[in-house]
Structure formats: C-alpha cells, structure tokens
Amino acid sequence: MKFKNKLYSFLALVVATTIICTHVSPAMGKFVANNPINAQTSISVANSNLEQGKKLYDAGRFAEAVKFLQQAVKEYQQQGDILRQAATLSNLSLAYQELGDWNQAQQAITASLNLLTANSEKTANLGVFAQSLDVQASLQLARRQTDLALKNWQQAAEIYTKIKDNSGVVRSQINQAQVLRIQGFYQKSIKLLNQVQQQLQSQPDSLEKVVSLRSLGDSLQLVGNLSAAQKALQQSLEIAQRLQSVEHVAASLLSLGNNAHAEGKITEALALYQQVVKISPSPLTKVQAQLNQLKLMIEDGKLAEAQTLLPEIQSQIAQLPTSSLAIYARINFVQNLLKLGGENLTLKNSQLIASAIQQARDLGDKRAEAYGIGTLGHFYEQTQQWNEAQKLTQQALFLTQTHNAPEIAYRWQWQLGRIFKAQGNIQDAIIAYDASLATLDTLRSDLVTVNQDVQLSFRDSVEPVYRESVEILLRSQADKPDEKILEKARQRIEALQLAELDNFFREACLQGKTVLLDKLVDEDNPTAAIFYPIILPESLQVIVKIPKQPLRHYATKIPQAEVETIANQLRFNLNQQYTSKATKQQLQQLYSWLIQPIESELQTAGVKTLVFLLDGALRNVPMAALHDGKKYLLEKYAVSLNLGLQLLDPQPLANQKLRVITAGLINSPPGFSQYPPLPAIEQEFELIAKTGVETTKLLEQQFTSKALESKINSANFNIVHIATHGEFSSRAEDTFILAADGLINVTQFDKILRSREGSKSNSMELLFLSACQTATGDNRAVLGLAGVAVRAGAKSTIASLWDINDEATAKFVGLFYQELQQGKVSKAEALRLAQLKLLKDPQYKAPRFWSAYVLIGNWL
C-alpha cells in the first residue's frame, strides 16, 4: 500500500496563560496551528503545572505531560477559571490522543466543550470553543468518524468567520478538504484547496501555506494530474524549508516520493523516501516512508534489498503509540512480508497482526479490526491452513458488512473464493467470487477513491478478481457447454474492461443509452460476429457470438506467458518494413487459436464483420493482420474492436451527411523538437476535401486548444479528425496530443470534446486520430485510446497502434473518406476497403502500413 499525506490538524488554544500544544498527527503530515499568544493577556507560568505539561508535550513525553495537565485542570477548576480549564482540557485531549487513549481523550474534549457551551456568550469563549471543536474533529477523524469530523470543522469555520479569525477559517477549510479527500471526494477537495490558495497567495510564508499546498498536491495526484501535483508539492517543500520546519519538510518530501512513484520514477521515489527517514522527527512518518520504500522494492524485484529493511521497520513499528494509522502500518508491514513469502511466513509475524487486531478493538476502529482479521486469514491462506483461513476470513467479512466497509468487504469475499477454490469447493467459490464482484460493482465509480488506508492497486487488487472468476466459471462447465455460464463469463470480461476504463479516468465513463451487442447482431446487423478471447494462466479461452445462434466456446491449452510473448513480439515485428517468415508463422498461430475453430460456421452464417473484445496483450495485435496461410483476415472480413457488450446509440454513419472538423499540426511547437515534422498532413486534408466531405479546417498555428474548443462548440459536424503527434498509454498522465500551443493532455482533450452544448453533444459519430500512436508494450493503451472517445460521447474511434509513414497515412486517410463518402458503407467496411487498397500497393503492402489502423466502438 502507498500511504498518503494526511492532515488532521491541531490547534493551539489561544487564551491568557494557555499553553500551545503541538499535536503530532498520526498520519503522514501534521498541521500545527502555531498561533501567537496575545502578549497583553499572557501571564508567565514558567514554573506552573501548565508550562511543565507544555514542555513535556513538546518533548514527546506525553504520559508525563498528562500528569501535569491533569493537575493544571484541577487548579483552574478550584479557581473557577472556566475558560482556562476548558482550554487545558482540550490540550489534555491532545496528549491522550498521542497516547492512543481514545476514551480519556474523548472524556477530556467532551468536558471542555460542555464547559464552553454553558458559557458561550463571550467572544473569547467563542475562539476557544472553535479550537476545541477542532480538537474534537481531530479525534473523530482519527477514529474514522469522517462525517462528524467534517461537521465540526464546518462549525468551527463559521465561528472563526464570526469572530474574524481569518487564520482559523483557513485552517478549518484545509481540514475539511482533508476529510473530503479521505472520503473520496477528490474534486471537491481540490476545489476547496484552490480557494484556500487564493486567500493565502498574497500572504507571507506560513504553515497554513505549507499544508494547504501539500494537501492540494496529494489530491491532484489521486486524480492523476501528476505534473500539477508535483508543482504544488514542490512549492510546499520550499516554503517548509524557508520556515525551517523539519517535520513539514519531511511530510512534503514524502508526498513528493508518492508522486514520483505514481509517475513511475522509481529511483527518484526511493531517494525521496530515504531522505524522509533520515530527517523526519516523527516515528510514524519514518515508518510510513520505510513501508513505501519496502513496497516499491518488492514491486521492482529488489527482494534482497527489501529484506535488509525489515528489521529496522519492525523495530520502529514496535515503538509506535496506538492509532488507526499505526495499526494499518503494522498490518501493511505484514502484508509486505506475505508478498516476500518464504521465511517471512512465521508465527512471530502472525502475532504482529494479532497485536494490531487487539489495538483496533481497543480503539473501536471496526474497519481496522476487519482489515487485520482478514489479513490474518490471508496469512493462514498462504500457509495453507484452510480451516483457520476460512474462519477468520468469514469473521472479517461479517465485520465489514455490519460496519458498511464495502471497499474492504470485496477483498475478503475474494479471499473466501480463493480458499474454497483451493479446497475444490467450486460452487461455493463461485458464490464468493460473485459476491466480491457485486461489491466491486457498487464501488465502480469509486475504485480509486476508497479509504486511503486500504487504497486499491487496480492490477494487484481488482483485475485478478475478474480473471479468477472467469477461470472458475469456465472450469465449472466440465465437458458440457452451459450458455448461462458463458454469458456470465463474457459479462465479467466486459465489466473488467469498463473497470479498467474507470481506473484510467478516475471516474465512471460509460454513460447514456446503450444497446446490447447481441440484439444488434441478431436483429439489426446479422452479418457481424463477436469474439471474446480471454487469456487465463493455463489456457486461451474464446467465446463467440454468431448472429441468431447460442454462444459458442472453445479453448487452447497454452500458458499465458506464451500467448503474451507472441502478442508482444508481433506488436514489434509488424512495425517493421518487411514481414518475416517467423512473423507470418506467429500470425498463423494466432489465427489457429482465435478464428480457425469456428471459421466454417462463420462462412455458413454469412458473417462479414468480426468484432473483437480483446484481452490483455492481444490488444496490441491488429486482428486484421492475422493470416490463415494464404490470406490476411482483412481480405475476408471487416474488423472492429469494442470495449463492452453494449454500444451507445448505434446508428449507421452511411445514412448521414458527412461533416468533418480537421485539426492538424505539421511542425511541432518550441520545446517539442523530439517530434519530427509531418509535411503530408496538408495533403491529407486536401484528400479529405476532394472526397466531397464538408470540412472545417484548423491547420498549424490555427490549431490550438482554444481554437479546437471553439470549433467543437460552433461547427456543425459528426466527425472530428485530428492529425498530429500524440501518444496513448494506460496512464492518463502519459496520454496527450500535440497542438500549436503545446500538449493537450487526455483530461483537457476530454473536456474540449465534451464542451459541446447538450442538444448537440451526441452528434460525434467518429473521432479519427491520425499520426497518434499507442505506448509500446502497454496492454491497456488501446483502452485509453478508446476511452477518450467513449467519454466524449463519440460512437467510434479510428487510430493507429504505431507511428506510420505520413505519406502512407495521407493516402490511407484519403481512401477511407472516399469509401465512406461515395460507397455509403459502414465504417468497418470503409476501413477494410481503404486498407485493402494499401495492401495492393507495392509501396505499402507490408502490414506495417495498413494493419496499424484500428476501429474501436460502433462499426456501423
């Protein structure tokens, strides 16, 4: 798990003779509101119990601090000084929070608030009351009572506004944004933090600035805006350094490390984590940085280095005071040990989890308790103690269901399915997997916004649930095909692709009225067949839908690694100038797995178009290039790709008048010299216009992000044709197109395409991306490519899997629009006919030139 910077807050109570308690947050970052004490009301208490309590608190000697603060409370009570008594009780609550004594912390803050509520008339009382609300909110957030914490910080902000304490308002807003982020409302958090930044921009350096920028950076990272996150976090670090606040320097470095990890900069992330460990005064922050380091090393295969970290982390963890985050740190340490396996699967480490579970019970944190019990169940699963593993997993599952924690529940449902499967109990395993996926479906729009203490890694913690479920479903058929099971299996594969798309964009993507593909091929387009290849660990499974026939299923027993090796080699080999004999053999191999077993039935049914929902590495292979030994698949069928079992409003483009917005960039703007000129774009646009298609053109300096948005909003069109350098990846932050004013990243591009007025928003039938390419070896890049169109409401996308000679591109584009305009054929058939003409051209007959173009979405 990757920890996130969490700001819990903790305010100094500003009254006469009141100490300023700095609260060390049980999280990555901590915000100390170091308000100056008013000199006119400050009374020297150097030798008092109160001052002694402050000194001990600042030194981290919390148990000793409690004794002096308790004595100070008694003194103020005897003196009848209600205001100072209430303020000291709040500081006492902070000290108890540091000790993990949540009941005493709650009693102290409740007593403080009761005193202040009874005496709420004076302005001074209001200031202390607001800060006591802050302390209560910090306790509630530490105990995961997020709704209550948010409500109290909102109330505190209202009081600060009333008494014109602008600094207090800002601090409360920062803390509200923190709660919103923990709850998964990232955009709301970002919006609130941007407002805070506007308020603080003209003000001198302050800790408020440090923490608000860090919190903003963390939220931006979570929504995938890594460059903006880097900028905010770097600013946070620089201000913390100028203020010489070591703890905040460490917290900002930790967030920068997390952002570098998200960018795939492993060496940089590790170096930043090491800096945190070296300088941080907070034991918890050190541990969190070390755990991030450990996770990264395991992911990067640096297992020997990871092992050397274990003793130090274990020693640090043992010294942490009880808190929710300390509990998660213990559990996640053990989870990393389980990943390392071998000698780390010891009784001693199972006892570490048992200790964390007990601490969660003492804390009253049911989510942490469920997380711990389920992890202990995973420990027994790893050691193949099935009865104990099943018992603990069911216990954890019961806790998550009774305390509404679906983001944890799905994990234990999945774990239960694995345990049943391992024992040969296939039917109960299917039930458990079904339950897990049903829970994931409820979380569909929140797969990346769940409780950050158990943050999901999609490829590690979500994708395997779908794949294992499909594997066990198909295994359950035995020798007799079951259409209901086949239907369920292909629905799972569709759900996986949609979940991947949601993960790419950080929100649910496919919206609007859809039509089932089966209905389309059975009733409206009975010459199309749908293929669902599924790559499983020991086999390649294929489910096929032929019009007006039940689902068919066949399989080839072949290891996943072999399928992926061939697919990845083809992705490289097909991009060469000439097609080697070995490459043709690989194309024939794939043909024999995917098409040959059912080819005679396709011919009998009169199928003319093949629609593929491709899986994994197969997405990088252009299906049109598959070869039967005599012909390419393209020579027999039109080919299209799809993302799911449904299409958005699938109307044939052949029935419509074609109107195209063309936007192209021949020369790259300053700063992007790595992208060569594309001189044939002008010819490409001329060829489009010659077909008689109505065009609106943006070329060279005319093609800016603002100009494109303006045309999208004003022009009457049904096709958007972009001719420029672009790259598509499974990572939104690495997906962009190039315009005259620089990069247009995928999120910005999506907003431009969706900026059209509601009444016209469904008019985009086709998004054509010419000269763009997908990331080599990235199995999800095609999903990212298609996702742009899906999100924007475009019915289809045409794009290339790799960069192609721009003269060949211009010729292909002209041929495609000619077929589309004059032939009144489907998009898939127009694509096929244009590709066939390139194939017959001696200059462009190699698959490199014609096979890279893929149609994704509506093929009509």
Side-chain angles (χ1 to χ4, degrees), residues 524-550:
D524 303 319
N525 187 226
T527 59
I530 311 169
F531 283 71
Y532 310 86
I534 305 164
I535 303 172
L536 296 177
E538 300 300 329
S539 64
L540 177 61
Q541 308 274 342
V542 184
I543 299 173
V544 180
K545 169 62 182 174
I546 294 177
K548 301 180 181 179
Q549 293 185 24

Side-chain angles (χ1 to χ4, degrees), residues 216-233:
L216 177 60
D218 289 338
S219 292
L220 287 166
Q221 186 221 311
L222 290 172
V223 297
N225 195 345
L226 301 186
S227 58
Q230 168 75 22
K231 184 178 178 181
L233 293 172

